[in-house]
Amino acid sequence: GPDDLHLPPDNLQVLPQDVVAHRTSPTNIGLYLLSAACARQFGWIGTQDLLARLDNTLATLGRLQRHRGHFLNWYDTQSGAALLPAYVSTVDSGNLSGPANPWLPPVDGWRHLDEVVAWNRTLHDAVHAELSDGRLPIVLGGDHCLGVGSISAVARHCRATGKKLRVLWLDAHADFNTSVLTPSGNLHGMPVACLCGHGPKDLVELGGVVPALNPKWVRQIGIRSVDAGEKRFVHQVGLEVFDMRFIDEHGMRHAMELALATLDEHTHLHVSFDVDFLDPSIAPAVGTTVPGGATFREAHLVMELLHESGLVTSLDLVELTPFLDARGMTARLMVDLVGSLMGKKVFDLPTRS
């Protein structure tokens, strides 16, 4: 009613006494509007009553504080003020649609090029729209060739905003093959090469500028499976790689310190995370498992250090194959790792001296 600005209170506590929680959330409001429509449908309220309820609530919604168009998580229903700390939950922008996988052999050195281009164009446009609206896009995708679309969009955004770009590629593979170097034609082994200007025209030119990336902007971590010709090409272009041998000898923290060196507040840091970066003993749900990957603690350390940098502004999570998972252990680990990236800690307490 009007005492709560026509917003639904969060709950009613009846024991030990009646207490109304005069706060509400976007979820509560959405359920209230839906329940009002259902009440009209069932004949419990009339049309005029429904319209009055909708008008009053929508009028209040028009006055509430928002962040870039999104409602905040909690409001006081009596004052309409945002409750502190004010924040916005994750916004699910929905699934993208594209052509099916035709399962055909390579044509002119590339498998399913038309389909891969179509998916990456759609993803490029979606990621660029999110960045333009000031959001941090998180892409949940299939194979790592989708990095062409997301990172092309990030590079385009950086050109428009005058920011430097650094790409952190967490993967078991360098993904720097070309149609000349590999007979398979699988584009999921070529995305970094495409971004650096080596690949089919439609992918190389996706972001409007060729190349989308300078190899010197890329840092690869966790690499442990690279074809011989691909390895030579990586060295030729000067890609900076911290493979598992380096990590074994010097530690993950040192690798990350070098990967993040020279970055400042004018840098957009994009993280492209392939599940096979992780050791298959803790993350079996991937089609291209390679033994000897990052451990549970190494992976969490990577994410914790990225959070502490404060620079991550876009993220890819790719190659998760649910039907290969063991009781959801890979999916749960990926959720936990994103939590670490967003600042989740085991103990949010200062270390005792």
Side-chain angles (χ1 to χ4, degrees):
D3 290 344
D4 282 292
L5 304 179
H6 303 282
L7 298 174
D10 187 55
N11 62 76
L12 168 65
Q13 176 182 308
V14 296
L15 293 175
Q17 59 189 21
D18 289 355
V19 177
V20 176
H22 293 285
R23 63 176 183 268
T24 197
S25 67
T27 301
N28 289 341
I29 296 168
L31 288 173
Y32 165 67
L33 295 174
L34 178 61
S35 66
C38 290
R40 165 62 183 84
Q41 186 70 19
F42 291 136
W44 299 336
I45 62 174
T47 301
Q48 293 304 316
D49 190 1
L50 171 62
L51 293 176
R53 289 168 182 260
L54 296 180
D55 285 344
N56 289 328
T57 300
L58 293 175
T60 299
L61 292 180
R63 299 192 297 269
L64 295 181
Q65 178 187 349
R66 304 189 200 186
H67 176 73
R68 300 184 183 276
H70 294 288
F71 289 107
L72 303 176
N73 260 45
W74 291 101
Y75 297 93
D76 185 307
T77 57
Q78 295 181 310
S79 68
L83 296 180
L84 299 178
Y87 63 98
V88 178
S89 293
T90 301
V91 177
D92 186 351
S93 298
N95 296 328
L96 302 179
S97 60
N101 189 334
W103 297 102
L104 296 174
V107 176
D108 297 328
W110 298 295
R111 286 192 75 195
H112 312 147
L113 178 59
D114 291 342
E115 291 76 17
V116 171
V117 169
W119 275 106
N120 275 287
R121 280 180 177 156
T122 300
L123 180 59
H124 168 278
D125 293 345
V127 170
H128 188 260
E130 296 299 312
L131 290 168
S132 298
D133 285 340
R135 304 187 188 113
L136 189 161
I138 299 177
V139 176
L140 305 179
D143 72 51
H144 217 163
C145 73
L146 292 175
V148 177
S150 63
I151 297 174
S152 290
V154 171
R156 177 182 168 192
H157 178 72
C158 288
R159 290 194 301 271
T161 58
K163 283 203 166 188
K164 296 183 293 184
L165 174 58
R166 176 69 55 87
V167 173
L168 197 65
W169 193 267
L170 306 175
D171 203 321
H173 309 87
D175 290 342
F176 212 79
N177 262 310
T178 68
S179 60
V180 175
L181 295 175
T182 176
S184 74
N186 290 327
L187 284 157
H188 64 77
M190 307 181 188
V192 183
C194 289
L195 288 163
C196 292
H198 308 282
K201 182 175 183 290
D202 287 341
L203 288 179
V204 167
E205 297 181 351
L206 191 64
V209 172
V210 181
L213 285 183
N214 184 319
K216 297 186 182 301
W217 302 345
V218 182
R219 302 291 184 272
Q220 296 194 324
I221 295 182
I223 309 302
R224 56 194 186 277
S225 177
V226 185
D227 297 335
E230 182 184 19
K231 182 177 180 180
R232 289 191 294 271
F233 196 25
V234 165
H235 284 301
Q236 178 184 329
V237 301
L239 207 62
E240 191 162 352
V241 177
F242 301 96
D243 61 8
M244 288 309 298
R245 171 68 182 270
F246 181 96
I247 293 167
D248 289 342
E249 293 181 351
H250 302 284
M252 185 64 82
R253 181 179 184 86
H254 186 52
M256 287 295 295
E257 288 172 344
L258 294 176
L260 300 178
T262 73
L263 303 190
D264 56 29
E265 67 274 13
H266 302 296
T267 304
H268 181 118
L269 179 57
H270 178 89
V271 178
S272 203
F273 192 120
D274 189 315
V275 175
D276 67 26
F277 165 73
L278 304 166
D279 191 81
S281 65
I282 60 170
V286 63
T288 51
T289 56
V290 183
T295 66
F296 179 92
R297 269 309 310 157
E298 285 173 333
H300 273 284
L301 178 61
V302 168
M303 294 309 206
E304 290 161 7
L305 293 172
L306 288 171
H307 171 73
E308 290 170 8
S309 77
L311 297 173
V312 177
T313 33
S314 48
L315 171 68
D316 300 327
L317 300 170
V318 301
E319 297 283 358
L320 179 67
T321 309
F323 75 86
L324 295 177
D325 212 350
R327 297 184 178 181
M329 66 182 295
T330 311
R332 288 195 300 271
L333 176 56
M334 295 300 290
V335 170
D336 287 344
L337 289 172
V338 174
S340 288
L341 177 62
M342 299 302 169
K344 182 180 179 182
K345 297 179 181 179
V346 176
F347 293 110
D348 196 9
L349 298 170
T351 303
R352 293 181 180 179
S353 58

